């Protein structure tokens, strides 16, 4: 019986991580191409699009960078804004960190540094099904996503040299569309008995955001509302 259970577990291999990343690649490629085009339209070069993708590696932060750069915002404002927007990665890393305690600090830094919204989603689903996550599997998942993102952004930058008006094609809406799709897919995979619970939390999130926007900047309202609603969700689920 134990042998049967072991055979049903996802293999902890780099190749399996690549395979499990494949369904998310369409999202990386489409958003990456859109970012490359938007980046060029914002006035940065293909090389800078490539370096942003390598060093920042965060779709929302990269789109925000282009907007702030185009608006002539100071460097400190760009750095602080991107830092705050990406603080959600702290919450995501904390969620999966308990599965990697047997690995070295350096390996854990690698897991957390390359974690994205999509790889986090794949990891949480896998951990929920099997109660474990493997290091080699995580490397395959993360590195496939990372290299695909860099390639897509760079190709998008090259295409962007011949597409000066990305808004005409709706490419500036690509990131929002991606998050909407992730939300719909997540809700579709939730058992019916929990669906109302999550819909209520989304309602609380909207009300919280609406109220906080009167007292603080949007990026702070997103972060604080997320922490408040996540706490409410954990308490109510118990």
């Amino acid at each position: 019986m134990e042998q049967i259970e072991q055979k049903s577990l996802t293999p902890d291999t780099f190749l399996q991580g690549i395979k499990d990343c494949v369904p998310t690649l369409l999202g990386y490629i489409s958003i990456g191409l859109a970012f490359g085009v938007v980046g060029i339209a914002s006035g940065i070069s293909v090389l800078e699009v490539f370096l942003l993708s390598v060093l920042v590696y965060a779709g929302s932060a990269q789109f925000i960078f282009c907007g702030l750069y185009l608006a002539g915002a100071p460097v400190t404002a760009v750095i602080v804004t991107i830092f705050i927007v990406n603080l959600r990665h702290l919450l995501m890393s904390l969620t999966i960190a308990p599965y990697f305690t047997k690995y070295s600090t350096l390996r854990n830094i690698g897991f957390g540094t390359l974690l994205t919204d999509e790889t986090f989603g794949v990891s949480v689903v896998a951990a929920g099904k099997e109660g474990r996550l493997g290091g080699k599997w995580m490397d395959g998942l993360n590195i496939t996503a990372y290299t695909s993102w860099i390639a897509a952004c760079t190709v998008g930058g090259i295409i962007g040299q011949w597409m000066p008006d990305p808004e005409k094609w709706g490419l500036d809406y690509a990131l929002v569309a991606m998050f909407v799709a992730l939300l719909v897919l997540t809700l579709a995979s939730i058992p019916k008995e929990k669906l109302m619970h999550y819909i209520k939390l989304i309602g609380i999130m909207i009300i919280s955001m609406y109220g906080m926007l009167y007292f603080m900047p949007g990026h702070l309202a997103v972060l604080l509302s997320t922490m408040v609603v996540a706490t409410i969700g954990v308490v109510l689920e118990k």
Side-chain angles (χ1 to χ4, degrees):
M1 183 65 182
E2 187 175 341
Q3 288 180 344
I4 294 175
E5 289 179 353
Q6 286 178 351
K7 285 180 181 177
S8 66
L9 294 176
T10 302
D12 179 20
T13 62
F14 191 87
L15 181 60
Q16 186 61 45
I18 295 175
K19 290 179 179 177
D20 289 344
C21 188
V22 168
T24 69
L25 290 185
L26 184 59
Y28 286 110
I29 293 171
S30 57
I31 305 299
L33 290 173
F35 168 72
V37 174
V38 170
I40 297 300
S42 302
I44 62 177
S45 66
V46 175
L47 177 60
E48 289 166 334
V49 167
F50 169 78
L51 290 176
L52 269 175
S53 307
V54 171
L55 300 176
V56 178
Y57 184 43
S60 55
Q62 291 177 216
F63 275 95
I64 289 171
F65 172 87
C66 291
L68 293 176
Y69 178 78
L70 198 60
V75 174
T76 51
V78 174
I79 293 173
V80 171
T81 302
I82 289 177
F83 174 76
I84 292 174
V85 168
N86 280 342
L87 269 179
R88 71 183 188 285
H89 287 268
L90 173 65
L91 302 176
M92 295 193 296
S93 297
L94 286 173
T95 302
I96 66 168
Y99 297 102
F100 299 109
T101 52
K102 66 180 180 181
Y103 296 98
S104 67
T105 302
L106 189 60
R107 289 292 306 276
N108 274 278
I109 290 174
F111 297 143
T113 302
L114 295 182
L115 195 65
T116 66
D117 298 297
E118 293 83 356
T119 56
F120 172 73
V122 174
S123 303
V124 168
V125 171
K129 289 180 179 176
E130 302 180 0
R132 70 181 183 98
L133 292 174
K136 293 177 182 176
W137 177 86
M138 196 68 196
D139 285 337
L141 181 72
N142 276 340
I143 292 174
T144 303
Y146 184 51
T147 52
S148 301
W149 175 253
I150 295 170
C153 290
T154 306
V155 172
I158 295 171
I159 295 173
Q161 296 177 100
W162 293 279
M163 193 180 290
D165 186 12
E167 291 185 15
K168 180 181 176 182
W169 302 90
L171 295 178
D172 56 320
Y173 189 70
L175 189 67
V176 178
M178 181 195 74
F179 280 112
V180 171
L182 286 174
L183 175 62
V184 172
L185 290 174
T186 302
L187 291 177
S189 64
I190 293 174
K192 290 183 179 178
E193 59 269 21
K194 286 191 173 182
L195 185 58
M196 282 307 297
H197 173 65
Y198 285 96
I199 291 176
K200 287 178 183 175
L201 291 177
I202 292 173
I204 297 173
M205 182 74 182
I206 293 172
I207 295 171
S208 175
M209 275 288 299
Y210 185 78
M212 289 187 185
L213 283 174
Y214 281 100
F215 308 102
M216 60 185 71
H219 50 270
L220 282 178
V222 170
L223 182 63
L224 192 56
S225 295
T226 302
M227 296 178 70
V228 169
V229 176
T231 305
I232 293 173
V234 171
V235 172
L236 292 180
E237 203 165 70
K238 289 180 178 178

